[in-house]
Amino acid sequence: MVSETGKQPDIAPAEAGNAPEHSTAAFIEAAVGPGSRLPEQLVANIERIETLTQRLINALAMREPKNPGVEAPGPDLFTTAASGWLKLLSEQPEKVLSQQVHYWGETLRHFAEAQAALARGTFRAPPDDRPRDRRFSNPLWESHPYFNFIKRQYQINAEAMSKAAQDLGVHDMTDRRRIEWFTRQMIDMMAPTNFLATNPDALEKAVETEGESLVRGLENLVRDVERHGGEMIVSLADREAFQVGEDIGTTAGTVVARTPLFELIQYKPTTQQVHETPLVIFPPWINKFYILDLKPQNSLIKWIVDQGYTLFVVAWKNPDTSYGDTGMEDYVSAYLDAMDRVLDLSDQPRLNVIGYCIAGTTLALTLSLLKQRGDERVKSATFFTTLTDFSDQGEFTAFLQEDFVSGIEAEASRTGVLSSQLMTRTFSFLRANDLVWAPAIRSYMLGEAPPAFDLLFWNGDGTNLPGRMAIEYLRGLCQKNAFVGEGFKVFDQILNVRDVTVPLCAIACEADHIAPAKDSWRGVSMMGSQDKTFILSQSGHIAGIINPPGKMKYGHYTSAAGFQKGFDAWRDAADFHEGSWWPTWEKWLSRHSGRMIATRDPGAGLGPAPGTYVHETS
């Protein structure tokens, strides 16, 4: 470094045996002192980094240790993978050698082609017939020799790892699916876009902003770690952009009952008459109910009210550690309690019910219990993206084996709950590129603020699960698949899916990775009802359900094929309908909802919707 006088500054040599002193302060003095030529903005950013780094260290120290079983697969999986590779090596050494030679050949060919292109003084990216990958949309991935070389080598490495995992001599399908799943996670994690030095978007932004984007990214990282108690969970949406009850969740209604486990909301009528049979929605307690009431234009709750129904919705308590012994029986009791209150308030002997996701699974248990008791209070049931048959664990296979479930059980026993943070992390890694790596790049490397998006805001407003309930669900329903097999025990009665005999309608979504349509269909096909309707919506677990009429974004399918020949036969015979499934379902519901009567006003009750439980954070 040259001083303003043009002379080299005097630097005292370090004493023998003593390492030179290195500190952030000393570096900053050397870098940005009187003789520095660094831009003023960059100087300020370097100073901000020191403060943020200390905040990050303090925030990471807040992280509570968790049971190792929830952090990684157990040693059995690694033993299985190693055994499979050794078996393949001993039985088919030529196959292993062939894989390695192919990988070496691809790598050397790639290097030679890049060298030759550079030697010619021109660079032209080789043809790439792979499907378009949004991660590599920057033109520099094709036009710049450095970035193109990195991209192509990553693709070669990814293909080699995938092929090696597929060719392992592992015959157990569960182990095979787990190995392939974890291999995919490693491949996604090592993408060059996830690292600053190999991400052209981040480097261009850093140069353009004189380092400001990286400092903003560090600020975002520190904020997220502080907000999540030492956990590194990227915020998908601006947490200050919405206020529940003011911007979203605004449909007019009244809290008409409150228990330790739920609030019951009755919505104010908007029509001159309503169907005599009331309708109650049981939303999932993994997230909050206002997914059904985000904004007026896409609110299913408002739309149902506008069609002339007396609508009640259960708003679940966000449990803390004191709810550790709350189990599935308590939730079934809550269903019965809510139904009793709805019947009393509406002065009706029967009602219609809706269950969404895990709440649909529990609704099926409740209907089985009512059947065995001879209780006919339910006229019809609707299931949104509901699983009752867990024989195919799908993308959750990696997490539903004994190593992870035992880890979750130990963690739930220690804390009393299955925390929303742990569930958020699990669900996010089912779509890691979309829900982990891409948001992290935007927030931490590009320094962008999280978007003000209502759906993602709701997605980040998670709830805990009571420890006992979570383990009963994972072991009894998911692992043992007891509800369609030997039976699931509730209140000393053995419940089975065949006891669900009320008229029912099930809605599944063709791109749903949480409750796949074919698995949802299979559970419905086992139910004992003689009046069954199945609707298949386009899109996924949320967008396929929150699909209001008028937008014409996603259509839906209906079929007269019945439930005798399997899902594929049903799907092949299905008719496609443009637009939302809501009106199709409402025509079905109206047939089970009785005559039109005078509206029911919920009055003042215990306070306005959306109530108090919805505001409790984890």
Side-chain angles (χ1 to χ4, degrees), residues 242-300:
F242 302 97
Q243 292 292 325
V244 180
E246 297 180 13
D247 311 294
I248 51 181
T250 60
T251 300
T254 299
V255 177
V256 292
R258 180 179 294 121
T259 77
L261 202 53
F262 69 88
E263 291 180 328
L264 183 64
I265 299 171
Q266 180 179 351
Y267 284 90
K268 187 174 180 179
T270 60
T271 55
Q272 291 185 351
Q273 290 186 312
V274 294
H275 290 274
E276 66 176 347
T277 304
L279 175 66
V280 57
I281 298 177
F282 294 97
W285 48 91
I286 291 178
N287 288 100
K288 295 181 178 176
F289 81 91
Y290 66 85
I291 184 59
L292 302 169
D293 189 32
L294 288 175
K295 293 179 180 177
Q297 58 267 33
N298 63 357
S299 169
L300 178 57

Side-chain angles (χ1 to χ4, degrees), residues 2 58 81 98 111 184 229 296 336 340 552 584 598 600:
V2 181
N58 294 338
S98 174
F111 178 75
R184 188 170 72 249
L336 299 175
D340 286 338
M552 305 301 289
T584 301
R600 305 176 176 104

Side-chain angles (χ1 to χ4, degrees), residues 410-444:
E411 184 70 10
S413 297
R414 182 179 70 86
T415 64
V417 296
L418 176 56
S419 72
S420 63
Q421 293 176 355
L422 182 57
M423 286 187 289
T424 296
R425 187 181 68 179
T426 300
F427 281 97
S428 294
F429 275 99
L430 295 178
R431 290 291 182 270
N433 282 331
D434 293 330
L435 297 178
V436 179
W437 305 121
I441 289 167
R442 289 193 299 268
S443 185
Y444 305 152

Side-chain angles (χ1 to χ4, degrees), residues 360-430:
T361 307
T362 309
L363 175 59
L365 293 172
T366 307
L367 293 173
S368 174
L369 179 66
L370 291 174
K371 172 68 173 180
Q372 294 191 24
R373 290 179 174 180
D375 190 326
E376 298 182 348
R377 71 179 71 184
V378 175
K379 288 183 69 174
S380 76
T382 299
F383 298 97
F384 294 168
T385 61
T386 293
L387 295 179
T388 49
D389 176 13
F390 294 86
S391 56
D392 187 343
Q393 296 171 348
E395 296 198 32
F396 286 94
T397 299
F399 298 104
L400 289 177
Q401 307 316 306
E402 189 58 31
D403 48 4
F404 269 104
V405 174
S406 294
I408 291 172
E409 186 170 22
E411 184 70 10
S413 297
R414 182 179 70 86
T415 64
V417 296
L418 176 56
S419 72
S420 63
Q421 293 176 355
L422 182 57
M423 286 187 289
T424 296
R425 187 181 68 179
T426 300
F427 281 97
S428 294
F429 275 99
L430 295 178

Side-chain angles (χ1 to χ4, degrees), residues 238 418 459 477 522:
D238 182 357
L418 176 56
N459 189 69
L477 293 171
R522 190 172 58 251

